[in-house]
Amino acid sequence: MGATRLIATVVLSLLVFLSGSSATQKKKTQGLPRQPCNRMVFYFHDILYNGQNAENATSAIVGAPAWGNRTILAGQNHFGNMVVFDDPITWDNDLHSNHVGRAQGFYLYDRKDYFTAWLGFSAFFNSTQHRGTITFAGADPLNKTRDISVIGGTGDFFMARGIATLMTDAVEGEVYFRLRVDTKLFVLVTIDHPAFSLL
Amino acid sequence: MGATRLIATVVLSLLVFLSGSSATQKKKTQGLPRQPCNRMVFYFHDILYNGQNAENATSAIVGAPAWGNRTILAGQNHFGNMVVFDDPITWDNDLHSNHVGRAQGFYLYDRKDYFTAWLGFSAFFNSTQHRGTITFAGADPLNKTRDISVIGGTGDFFMARGIATLMTDAVEGEVYFRLRVDTKLFVLVTIDHPAFSLL
Amino acid sequence: MGATRLIATVVLSLLVFLSGSSATQKKKTQGLPRQPCNRMVFYFHDILYNGQNAENATSAIVGAPAWGNRTILAGQNHFGNMVVFDDPITWDNDLHSNHVGRAQGFYLYDRKDYFTAWLGFSAFFNSTQHRGTITFAGADPLNKTRDISVIGGTGDFFMARGIATLMTDAVEGEVYFRLRVDTKLFVLVTIDHPAFSLL
């Protein structure tokens, strides 16, 4: 989403609202809006430090409960492990594809009886295609698919909010996992938004 | 808040806006909106691991300053302790009531001269009544009552934001505490929101 | 930003929208809104505990990778260090000026090959001038200037969102650094916002 494309989307969307027929308008009000202004699918690749892969590791255990350590994920479904990461982002599911950004932040394992996590991270883009960050946070029940929230956006993603549907795309031992992130972005309306002045 | 009920609230609210008399409208603009679309009160119960309660504990110290450890909260008002939790949620203040969800995430103690905390967590619901998450973050000065922000919402709480008023409802030693969370949710307006197409 | 001033800004902004000429309106739609409702510049001062400055330190390392400890920032650009802080806020860049609030939360170093960080913190104000919190989160690439997101607001800053431009204003060894925070706040529009009832 380049800034220009985003603005184009916004302006186009406004035109659609203003010219919409009554029939369409009625239909639209029957549910909450679920049509994002923008959708992005990307993958990120996490290689956890295990004491032997210093060269390749992109993440490391930095917090552990009393029964854990910082080179092996703790017992009890890793409850209490906190991991800091700086993972490459790719558009497809191949670690060796072009790295188009970095996913940076942390995750916690937070349940003793089965795997669940809590995530706080940003997708950081700095290319001709995208410049800016999308920040995510929330509980990750580690189901087949699950939603977390988009809590912030800067640069091209200024004032974007929404949700991201996560899917664990691959797991190799306790060292490598790959996450598919299907991000649906909406642009917030603020008090001095041009949409108001148009009306 | 089931999805249906939320939608009903939204539609109803729109009708109210559109039919409001001038008098009402003038009054409304004299302050920021403080009427939430939805309000939820719940309790969560935190039992901190102290080396002897592995069976019952719902949280554990995973980070500590140089002068602390991971079975006893550190000196200097626990400054620097980071706790990961997976706490049962109940509708009333009884730990033994029906567990209607889980509060999952972390808290930090972040002041040396008296108790203050910083929270990042989600209330996770997965029942016929509610399905989805509400994510909270912010400074907790540990006053009698204090507000933190709702920074995300998924499922039934899609695009909800707002604040939560916290109250420490009970404390037993340094092992058990119970928090009352009075959550006031508002639904965000985005560029392509049906409210625009209605106008 | 006192509550009164904020309300004044909001009401004024609404008047401007409603009275804007067509020409102005056209111009406004050519870009996303970048005019914040409110702007605040403040500084915060971080003094990291290094084993010898217990008296003055305002922050402490509480998480570290396997190759680190909690009194010295780790090798590999401090990758994996997590720091909890409670830093004084001043209006100018002098640590000894009046402390008008506290910046409380945590930061992580999250890259091995050069410095980058991830921040989660609140600016906590409790004076006659401002009462409430602004919560920030996001990736900090530690460039000369960089933006993070405003993800929450309480009290005077109720439902405020936006971005903050950070600048490292001073660094002394690995013990002291000072951050300039240029915060641009916008007030979110929610379903039952008075702006709707005005139209």
Side-chain angles (χ1 to χ4, degrees), chain A residues 32-77:
Chain A
L32 275 179
R34 293 273 168 168
Q35 293 298 104
C37 280
N38 194 277
R39 193 170 159 198
M40 265 179 98
V41 179
F42 62 83
Y43 293 79
F44 68 87
H45 306 261
D46 193 63
I47 303 170
L48 185 60
Y49 179 68
N50 66 358
Q52 292 159 6
N53 57 355
E55 198 63 36
N56 297 324
T58 63
S59 65
I61 304 172
V62 308
W67 62 88
N69 66 45
R70 292 172 294 176
T71 45
I72 302 172
L73 288 165
Q76 304 212 50
N77 293 295

mmCIF file of all heavy atoms in Angstrom, chain A residues 32-77:
data_model
loop_
_atom_site.group_PDB
_atom_site.id
_atom_site.type_symbol
_atom_site.label_atom_id
_atom_site.label_comp_id
_atom_site.label_asym_id
_atom_site.label_seq_id
_atom_site.Cartn_x
_atom_site.Cartn_y
_atom_site.Cartn_z
ATOM 1 N N LEU A 32 -21.923 -5.044 10.844
ATOM 2 C CA LEU A 32 -20.769 -4.188 11.058
ATOM 3 C C LEU A 32 -19.906 -4.215 9.818
ATOM 4 O O LEU A 32 -19.900 -5.189 9.085
ATOM 5 C CB LEU A 32 -19.955 -4.710 12.254
ATOM 6 C CG LEU A 32 -20.434 -4.236 13.600
ATOM 7 C CD1 LEU A 32 -19.560 -4.851 14.671
ATOM 8 C CD2 LEU A 32 -20.310 -2.717 13.681
ATOM 9 N N PRO A 33 -19.160 -3.174 9.593
ATOM 10 C CA PRO A 33 -18.353 -3.135 8.379
ATOM 11 C C PRO A 33 -17.232 -4.162 8.461
ATOM 12 O O PRO A 33 -16.516 -4.218 9.456
ATOM 13 C CB PRO A 33 -17.774 -1.722 8.385
ATOM 14 C CG PRO A 33 -17.752 -1.335 9.805
ATOM 15 C CD PRO A 33 -18.896 -2.026 10.461
ATOM 16 N N ARG A 34 -17.111 -4.967 7.475
ATOM 17 C CA ARG A 34 -16.051 -5.975 7.478
ATOM 18 C C ARG A 34 -15.192 -5.851 6.225
ATOM 19 O O ARG A 34 -14.336 -6.653 5.974
ATOM 20 C CB ARG A 34 -16.666 -7.389 7.545
ATOM 21 C CG ARG A 34 -17.377 -7.704 8.849
ATOM 22 C CD ARG A 34 -16.440 -8.261 9.895
ATOM 23 N NE ARG A 34 -17.091 -8.294 11.204
ATOM 24 C CZ ARG A 34 -16.588 -8.948 12.244
ATOM 25 N NH1 ARG A 34 -15.466 -9.606 12.163
ATOM 26 N NH2 ARG A 34 -17.209 -8.911 13.400
ATOM 27 N N GLN A 35 -15.463 -4.835 5.406
ATOM 28 C CA GLN A 35 -14.681 -4.644 4.187
ATOM 29 C C GLN A 35 -13.491 -3.770 4.501
ATOM 30 O O GLN A 35 -13.650 -2.585 4.723
ATOM 31 C CB GLN A 35 -15.542 -3.939 3.127
ATOM 32 C CG GLN A 35 -16.697 -4.753 2.622
ATOM 33 C CD GLN A 35 -16.258 -6.020 1.934
ATOM 34 O OE1 GLN A 35 -16.367 -7.103 2.502
ATOM 35 N NE2 GLN A 35 -15.701 -5.900 0.757
ATOM 36 N N PRO A 36 -12.327 -4.338 4.553
ATOM 37 C CA PRO A 36 -11.181 -3.493 4.872
ATOM 38 C C PRO A 36 -10.831 -2.571 3.720
ATOM 39 O O PRO A 36 -11.150 -2.837 2.572
ATOM 40 C CB PRO A 36 -10.060 -4.495 5.100
ATOM 41 C CG PRO A 36 -10.461 -5.701 4.317
ATOM 42 C CD PRO A 36 -11.966 -5.725 4.308
ATOM 43 N N CYS A 37 -10.183 -1.454 4.056
ATOM 44 C CA CYS A 37 -9.654 -0.551 3.031
ATOM 45 C C CYS A 37 -8.474 -1.189 2.340
ATOM 46 O O CYS A 37 -8.129 -0.862 1.225
ATOM 47 C CB CYS A 37 -9.174 0.758 3.676
ATOM 48 S SG CYS A 37 -10.535 1.849 4.019
ATOM 49 N N ASN A 38 -7.810 -2.074 3.038
ATOM 50 C CA ASN A 38 -6.598 -2.619 2.493
ATOM 51 C C ASN A 38 -6.330 -3.971 3.116
ATOM 52 O O ASN A 38 -6.601 -4.174 4.289
ATOM 53 C CB ASN A 38 -5.420 -1.693 2.807
ATOM 54 C CG ASN A 38 -4.223 -2.062 1.971
ATOM 55 O OD1 ASN A 38 -3.491 -2.968 2.323
ATOM 56 N ND2 ASN A 38 -4.070 -1.403 0.845
ATOM 57 N N ARG A 39 -5.778 -4.873 2.332
ATOM 58 C CA ARG A 39 -5.472 -6.209 2.836
ATOM 59 C C ARG A 39 -4.058 -6.577 2.400
ATOM 60 O O ARG A 39 -3.661 -6.288 1.283
ATOM 61 C CB ARG A 39 -6.483 -7.197 2.256
ATOM 62 C CG ARG A 39 -6.436 -8.518 2.965
ATOM 63 C CD ARG A 39 -7.590 -9.396 2.557
ATOM 64 N NE ARG A 39 -7.255 -10.773 2.851
ATOM 65 C CZ ARG A 39 -7.872 -11.817 2.333
ATOM 66 N NH1 ARG A 39 -8.884 -11.648 1.510
ATOM 67 N NH2 ARG A 39 -7.498 -13.040 2.647
ATOM 68 N N MET A 40 -3.324 -7.162 3.317
ATOM 69 C CA MET A 40 -1.929 -7.529 3.059
ATOM 70 C C MET A 40 -1.688 -8.902 3.632
ATOM 71 O O MET A 40 -2.011 -9.136 4.803
ATOM 72 C CB MET A 40 -1.026 -6.598 3.867
ATOM 73 C CG MET A 40 -0.521 -5.402 3.157
ATOM 74 S SD MET A 40 0.480 -4.457 4.331
ATOM 75 C CE MET A 40 2.120 -5.035 3.866
ATOM 76 N N VAL A 41 -1.116 -9.778 2.866
ATOM 77 C CA VAL A 41 -0.725 -11.085 3.392
ATOM 78 C C VAL A 41 0.795 -11.177 3.365
ATOM 79 O O VAL A 41 1.415 -10.900 2.346
ATOM 80 C CB VAL A 41 -1.346 -12.235 2.575
ATOM 81 C CG1 VAL A 41 -0.898 -13.588 3.122
ATOM 82 C CG2 VAL A 41 -2.870 -12.140 2.592
ATOM 83 N N PHE A 42 1.354 -11.506 4.517
ATOM 84 C CA PHE A 42 2.808 -11.739 4.526
ATOM 85 C C PHE A 42 3.138 -12.886 5.472
ATOM 86 O O PHE A 42 2.270 -13.376 6.203
ATOM 87 C CB PHE A 42 3.571 -10.462 4.899
ATOM 88 C CG PHE A 42 3.285 -9.908 6.276
ATOM 89 C CD1 PHE A 42 3.931 -10.397 7.398
ATOM 90 C CD2 PHE A 42 2.372 -8.865 6.445
ATOM 91 C CE1 PHE A 42 3.675 -9.860 8.661
ATOM 92 C CE2 PHE A 42 2.109 -8.331 7.699
ATOM 93 C CZ PHE A 42 2.762 -8.833 8.812
ATOM 94 N N TYR A 43 4.385 -13.328 5.401
ATOM 95 C CA TYR A 43 4.874 -14.433 6.231
ATOM 96 C C TYR A 43 6.055 -13.944 7.044
ATOM 97 O O TYR A 43 6.828 -13.117 6.557
ATOM 98 C CB TYR A 43 5.350 -15.586 5.336
ATOM 99 C CG TYR A 43 4.237 -16.252 4.563
ATOM 100 C CD1 TYR A 43 3.728 -15.670 3.406
ATOM 101 C CD2 TYR A 43 3.681 -17.456 4.991
ATOM 102 C CE1 TYR A 43 2.692 -16.274 2.695
ATOM 103 C CE2 TYR A 43 2.645 -18.063 4.273
ATOM 104 C CZ TYR A 43 2.156 -17.464 3.140
ATOM 105 O OH TYR A 43 1.130 -18.049 2.449
ATOM 106 N N PHE A 44 6.176 -14.441 8.275
ATOM 107 C CA PHE A 44 7.467 -14.206 8.927
ATOM 108 C C PHE A 44 8.020 -15.490 9.517
ATOM 109 O O PHE A 44 7.301 -16.444 9.779
ATOM 110 C CB PHE A 44 7.456 -13.025 9.885
ATOM 111 C CG PHE A 44 6.661 -13.130 11.135
ATOM 112 C CD1 PHE A 44 7.233 -13.699 12.281
ATOM 113 C CD2 PHE A 44 5.389 -12.615 11.229
ATOM 114 C CE1 PHE A 44 6.536 -13.756 13.468
ATOM 115 C CE2 PHE A 44 4.685 -12.678 12.411
ATOM 116 C CZ PHE A 44 5.250 -13.259 13.538
ATOM 117 N N HIS A 45 9.347 -15.489 9.666
ATOM 118 C CA HIS A 45 10.113 -16.707 9.892
ATOM 119 C C HIS A 45 10.895 -16.564 11.187
ATOM 120 O O HIS A 45 11.753 -15.687 11.283
ATOM 121 C CB HIS A 45 11.087 -16.910 8.728
ATOM 122 C CG HIS A 45 10.425 -16.904 7.377
ATOM 123 N ND1 HIS A 45 10.099 -18.045 6.703
ATOM 124 C CD2 HIS A 45 10.008 -15.866 6.594
ATOM 125 C CE1 HIS A 45 9.507 -17.727 5.547
ATOM 126 N NE2 HIS A 45 9.444 -16.412 5.457
ATOM 127 N N ASP A 46 10.635 -17.434 12.125
ATOM 128 C CA ASP A 46 11.237 -17.323 13.456
ATOM 129 C C ASP A 46 12.190 -18.495 13.706
ATOM 130 O O ASP A 46 11.773 -19.657 13.655
ATOM 131 C CB ASP A 46 10.118 -17.329 14.505
ATOM 132 C CG ASP A 46 10.600 -16.906 15.875
ATOM 133 O OD1 ASP A 46 11.048 -15.761 16.013
ATOM 134 O OD2 ASP A 46 10.539 -17.735 16.812
ATOM 135 N N ILE A 47 13.446 -18.178 13.949
ATOM 136 C CA ILE A 47 14.442 -19.224 14.259
ATOM 137 C C ILE A 47 14.945 -18.950 15.667
ATOM 138 O O ILE A 47 15.649 -17.970 15.920
ATOM 139 C CB ILE A 47 15.613 -19.191 13.251
ATOM 140 C CG1 ILE A 47 15.078 -19.346 11.817
ATOM 141 C CG2 ILE A 47 16.627 -20.283 13.578
ATOM 142 C CD1 ILE A 47 16.130 -19.081 10.733
ATOM 143 N N LEU A 48 14.556 -19.822 16.595
ATOM 144 C CA LEU A 48 14.798 -19.576 18.022
ATOM 145 C C LEU A 48 16.188 -20.039 18.441
ATOM 146 O O LEU A 48 16.602 -21.158 18.131
ATOM 147 C CB LEU A 48 13.721 -20.302 18.843
ATOM 148 C CG LEU A 48 13.734 -20.070 20.351
ATOM 149 C CD1 LEU A 48 13.550 -18.600 20.694
ATOM 150 C CD2 LEU A 48 12.641 -20.904 21.018
ATOM 151 N N TYR A 49 16.890 -19.183 19.143
ATOM 152 C CA TYR A 49 18.225 -19.524 19.659
ATOM 153 C C TYR A 49 18.121 -20.690 20.639
ATOM 154 O O TYR A 49 17.335 -20.651 21.587
ATOM 155 C CB TYR A 49 18.826 -18.306 20.375
ATOM 156 C CG TYR A 49 20.191 -18.567 20.963
ATOM 157 C CD1 TYR A 49 21.293 -18.796 20.147
ATOM 158 C CD2 TYR A 49 20.374 -18.600 22.345
ATOM 159 C CE1 TYR A 49 22.540 -19.037 20.691
ATOM 160 C CE2 TYR A 49 21.631 -18.830 22.899
ATOM 161 C CZ TYR A 49 22.708 -19.055 22.059
ATOM 162 O OH TYR A 49 23.941 -19.307 22.600
ATOM 163 N N ASN A 50 18.935 -21.737 20.384
ATOM 164 C CA ASN A 50 18.902 -22.920 21.257
ATOM 165 C C ASN A 50 20.285 -23.255 21.811
ATOM 166 O O ASN A 50 20.543 -24.392 22.225
ATOM 167 C CB ASN A 50 18.307 -24.117 20.504
ATOM 168 C CG ASN A 50 19.192 -24.557 19.346
ATOM 169 O OD1 ASN A 50 20.236 -23.952 19.085
ATOM 170 N ND2 ASN A 50 18.787 -25.611 18.659
ATOM 171 N N GLY A 51 21.185 -22.291 21.766
ATOM 172 C CA GLY A 51 22.530 -22.514 22.301
ATOM 173 C C GLY A 51 23.514 -22.946 21.228
ATOM 174 O O GLY A 51 24.733 -22.890 21.437
ATOM 175 N N GLN A 52 22.998 -23.382 20.068
ATOM 176 C CA GLN A 52 23.897 -23.915 19.034
ATOM 177 C C GLN A 52 23.745 -23.246 17.673
ATOM 178 O O GLN A 52 24.479 -23.565 16.744
ATOM 179 C CB GLN A 52 23.624 -25.427 18.864
ATOM 180 C CG GLN A 52 24.046 -26.230 20.079
ATOM 181 C CD GLN A 52 23.346 -27.584 20.138
ATOM 182 O OE1 GLN A 52 22.634 -27.976 19.227
ATOM 183 N NE2 GLN A 52 23.558 -28.305 21.228
ATOM 184 N N ASN A 53 22.763 -22.333 17.557
ATOM 185 C CA ASN A 53 22.506 -21.764 16.232
ATOM 186 C C ASN A 53 22.654 -20.231 16.232
ATOM 187 O O ASN A 53 21.875 -19.523 15.597
ATOM 188 C CB ASN A 53 21.095 -22.168 15.756
ATOM 189 C CG ASN A 53 20.026 -21.719 16.759
ATOM 190 O OD1 ASN A 53 20.354 -21.206 17.830
ATOM 191 N ND2 ASN A 53 18.776 -21.890 16.405
ATOM 192 N N ALA A 54 23.695 -19.763 16.929
ATOM 193 C CA ALA A 54 23.871 -18.314 17.087
ATOM 194 C C ALA A 54 23.891 -17.596 15.741
ATOM 195 O O ALA A 54 23.378 -16.477 15.612
ATOM 196 C CB ALA A 54 25.162 -18.025 17.857
ATOM 197 N N GLU A 55 24.449 -18.245 14.744
ATOM 198 C CA GLU A 55 24.593 -17.624 13.429
ATOM 199 C C GLU A 55 23.235 -17.307 12.802
ATOM 200 O O GLU A 55 23.004 -16.214 12.289
ATOM 201 C CB GLU A 55 25.399 -18.582 12.521
ATOM 202 C CG GLU A 55 26.002 -17.929 11.298
ATOM 203 C CD GLU A 55 27.031 -16.861 11.678
ATOM 204 O OE1 GLU A 55 27.765 -17.033 12.687
ATOM 205 O OE2 GLU A 55 27.043 -15.836 10.970
ATOM 206 N N ASN A 56 22.326 -18.273 12.834
ATOM 207 C CA ASN A 56 21.053 -18.151 12.116
ATOM 208 C C ASN A 56 19.884 -17.642 12.947
ATOM 209 O O ASN A 56 18.883 -17.210 12.390
ATOM 210 C CB ASN A 56 20.628 -19.522 11.553
ATOM 211 C CG ASN A 56 21.620 -20.034 10.539
ATOM 212 O OD1 ASN A 56 22.178 -19.248 9.778
ATOM 213 N ND2 ASN A 56 21.865 -21.343 10.554
ATOM 214 N N ALA A 57 19.989 -17.760 14.274
ATOM 215 C CA ALA A 57 18.834 -17.460 15.126
ATOM 216 C C ALA A 57 18.345 -16.039 14.905
ATOM 217 O O ALA A 57 19.150 -15.103 14.752
ATOM 218 C CB ALA A 57 19.193 -17.681 16.588
ATOM 219 N N THR A 58 17.022 -15.861 14.895
ATOM 220 C CA THR A 58 16.421 -14.532 14.760
ATOM 221 C C THR A 58 15.670 -14.143 16.030
ATOM 222 O O THR A 58 15.066 -13.080 16.096
ATOM 223 C CB THR A 58 15.422 -14.512 13.579
ATOM 224 O OG1 THR A 58 14.364 -15.430 13.870
ATOM 225 C CG2 THR A 58 16.094 -14.896 12.272
ATOM 226 N N SER A 59 15.663 -15.045 17.016
ATOM 227 C CA SER A 59 14.947 -14.773 18.259
ATOM 228 C C SER A 59 15.647 -15.463 19.417
ATOM 229 O O SER A 59 16.462 -16.372 19.215
ATOM 230 C CB SER A 59 13.493 -15.263 18.151
ATOM 231 O OG SER A 59 13.445 -16.665 18.030
ATOM 232 N N ALA A 60 15.334 -15.006 20.644
ATOM 233 C CA ALA A 60 15.986 -15.586 21.822
ATOM 234 C C ALA A 60 15.047 -15.514 23.017
ATOM 235 O O ALA A 60 14.291 -14.545 23.160
ATOM 236 C CB ALA A 60 17.279 -14.835 22.135
ATOM 237 N N ILE A 61 15.106 -16.537 23.844
ATOM 238 C CA ILE A 61 14.372 -16.544 25.112
ATOM 239 C C ILE A 61 15.051 -15.545 26.042
ATOM 240 O O ILE A 61 16.254 -15.638 26.258
ATOM 241 C CB ILE A 61 14.392 -17.944 25.765
ATOM 242 C CG1 ILE A 61 13.829 -19.000 24.812
ATOM 243 C CG2 ILE A 61 13.630 -17.935 27.093
ATOM 244 C CD1 ILE A 61 14.010 -20.440 25.320
ATOM 245 N N VAL A 62 14.272 -14.579 26.571
ATOM 246 C CA VAL A 62 14.877 -13.588 27.459
ATOM 247 C C VAL A 62 14.226 -13.584 28.840
ATOM 248 O O VAL A 62 14.730 -12.979 29.774
ATOM 249 C CB VAL A 62 14.825 -12.169 26.862
ATOM 250 C CG1 VAL A 62 15.405 -12.165 25.449
ATOM 251 C CG2 VAL A 62 13.420 -11.607 26.864
ATOM 252 N N GLY A 63 13.086 -14.275 28.952
ATOM 253 C CA GLY A 63 12.433 -14.412 30.246
ATOM 254 C C GLY A 63 11.973 -15.845 30.392
ATOM 255 O O GLY A 63 11.582 -16.477 29.404
ATOM 256 N N ALA A 64 12.027 -16.362 31.600
ATOM 257 C CA ALA A 64 11.630 -17.748 31.852
ATOM 258 C C ALA A 64 11.147 -17.845 33.285
ATOM 259 O O ALA A 64 11.575 -17.066 34.138
ATOM 260 C CB ALA A 64 12.811 -18.691 31.632
ATOM 261 N N PRO A 65 10.255 -18.781 33.570
ATOM 262 C CA PRO A 65 9.824 -18.974 34.954
ATOM 263 C C PRO A 65 10.944 -19.656 35.740
ATOM 264 O O PRO A 65 11.970 -20.024 35.159
ATOM 265 C CB PRO A 65 8.619 -19.903 34.799
ATOM 266 C CG PRO A 65 8.886 -20.679 33.552
ATOM 267 C CD PRO A 65 9.638 -19.739 32.635
ATOM 268 N N ALA A 66 10.736 -19.805 37.030
ATOM 269 C CA ALA A 66 11.776 -20.374 37.892
ATOM 270 C C ALA A 66 12.222 -21.754 37.419
ATOM 271 O O ALA A 66 13.377 -22.135 37.598
ATOM 272 C CB ALA A 66 11.270 -20.441 39.341
ATOM 273 N N TRP A 67 11.318 -22.505 36.773
ATOM 274 C CA TRP A 67 11.670 -23.861 36.343
ATOM 275 C C TRP A 67 12.252 -23.907 34.913
ATOM 276 O O TRP A 67 12.459 -24.991 34.372
ATOM 277 C CB TRP A 67 10.459 -24.792 36.459
ATOM 278 C CG TRP A 67 9.290 -24.403 35.595
ATOM 279 C CD1 TRP A 67 9.069 -24.780 34.292
ATOM 280 C CD2 TRP A 67 8.181 -23.574 35.957
ATOM 281 N NE1 TRP A 67 7.904 -24.217 33.828
ATOM 282 C CE2 TRP A 67 7.342 -23.482 34.825
ATOM 283 C CE3 TRP A 67 7.815 -22.880 37.131
ATOM 284 C CZ2 TRP A 67 6.157 -22.725 34.827
ATOM 285 C CZ3 TRP A 67 6.643 -22.133 37.113
ATOM 286 C CH2 TRP A 67 5.834 -22.065 35.990
ATOM 287 N N GLY A 68 12.536 -22.746 34.334
ATOM 288 C CA GLY A 68 13.031 -22.733 32.952
ATOM 289 C C GLY A 68 14.430 -22.160 32.837
ATOM 290 O O GLY A 68 15.042 -21.757 33.821
ATOM 291 N N ASN A 69 14.953 -22.153 31.590
ATOM 292 C CA ASN A 69 16.212 -21.470 31.324
ATOM 293 C C ASN A 69 16.101 -20.731 29.992
ATOM 294 O O ASN A 69 15.004 -20.575 29.478
ATOM 295 C CB ASN A 69 17.394 -22.453 31.354
ATOM 296 C CG ASN A 69 17.318 -23.453 30.226
ATOM 297 O OD1 ASN A 69 17.052 -23.121 29.071
ATOM 298 N ND2 ASN A 69 17.542 -24.722 30.558
ATOM 299 N N ARG A 70 17.219 -20.249 29.449
ATOM 300 C CA ARG A 70 17.111 -19.405 28.267
ATOM 301 C C ARG A 70 17.651 -20.041 26.982
ATOM 302 O O ARG A 70 17.861 -19.362 26.001
ATOM 303 C CB ARG A 70 17.764 -18.060 28.547
ATOM 304 C CG ARG A 70 16.958 -17.269 29.595
ATOM 305 C CD ARG A 70 17.665 -16.012 30.034
ATOM 306 N NE ARG A 70 18.890 -16.355 30.742
ATOM 307 C CZ ARG A 70 19.765 -15.456 31.192
ATOM 308 N NH1 ARG A 70 19.543 -14.172 31.011
ATOM 309 N NH2 ARG A 70 20.856 -15.849 31.810
ATOM 310 N N THR A 71 17.897 -21.377 27.038
ATOM 311 C CA THR A 71 18.251 -22.043 25.779
ATOM 312 C C THR A 71 17.258 -23.133 25.392
ATOM 313 O O THR A 71 17.266 -23.587 24.250
ATOM 314 C CB THR A 71 19.675 -22.648 25.805
ATOM 315 O OG1 THR A 71 19.860 -23.333 27.050
ATOM 316 C CG2 THR A 71 20.727 -21.570 25.677
ATOM 317 N N ILE A 72 16.411 -23.559 26.334
ATOM 318 C CA ILE A 72 15.395 -24.581 26.024
ATOM 319 C C ILE A 72 14.040 -24.056 26.500
ATOM 320 O O ILE A 72 13.928 -23.560 27.629
ATOM 321 C CB ILE A 72 15.701 -25.913 26.760
ATOM 322 C CG1 ILE A 72 17.093 -26.415 26.376
ATOM 323 C CG2 ILE A 72 14.645 -26.970 26.428
ATOM 324 C CD1 ILE A 72 17.545 -27.613 27.199
ATOM 325 N N LEU A 73 13.024 -24.170 25.657
ATOM 326 C CA LEU A 73 11.678 -23.732 26.066
ATOM 327 C C LEU A 73 11.240 -24.554 27.281
ATOM 328 O O LEU A 73 11.472 -25.766 27.355
ATOM 329 C CB LEU A 73 10.699 -23.884 24.898
ATOM 330 C CG LEU A 73 10.892 -22.846 23.766
ATOM 331 C CD1 LEU A 73 10.159 -23.267 22.503
ATOM 332 C CD2 LEU A 73 10.425 -21.456 24.212
ATOM 333 N N ALA A 74 10.610 -23.881 28.243
ATOM 334 C CA ALA A 74 10.304 -24.485 29.545
ATOM 335 C C ALA A 74 9.224 -25.560 29.456
ATOM 336 O O ALA A 74 8.436 -25.604 28.501
ATOM 337 C CB ALA A 74 9.867 -23.398 30.515
ATOM 338 N N GLY A 75 9.183 -26.415 30.462
ATOM 339 C CA GLY A 75 8.122 -27.409 30.602
ATOM 340 C C GLY A 75 6.782 -26.714 30.811
ATOM 341 O O GLY A 75 6.703 -25.487 30.837
ATOM 342 N N GLN A 76 5.727 -27.501 30.973
ATOM 343 C CA GLN A 76 4.378 -26.937 31.138
ATOM 344 C C GLN A 76 3.999 -26.043 29.951
ATOM 345 O O GLN A 76 3.527 -24.920 30.128
ATOM 346 C CB GLN A 76 4.269 -26.146 32.442
ATOM 347 C CG GLN A 76 4.644 -26.986 33.657
ATOM 348 C CD GLN A 76 3.861 -26.581 34.889
ATOM 349 O OE1 GLN A 76 2.639 -26.477 34.840
ATOM 350 N NE2 GLN A 76 4.557 -26.366 35.971
ATOM 351 N N ASN A 77 4.213 -26.604 28.756
ATOM 352 C CA ASN A 77 3.839 -25.877 27.529
ATOM 353 C C ASN A 77 4.490 -24.502 27.426
ATOM 354 O O ASN A 77 3.882 -23.567 26.918
ATOM 355 C CB ASN A 77 2.306 -25.773 27.420
ATOM 356 C CG ASN A 77 1.669 -27.132 27.191
ATOM 357 O OD1 ASN A 77 1.890 -27.730 26.163
ATOM 358 N ND2 ASN A 77 0.932 -27.622 28.189
#
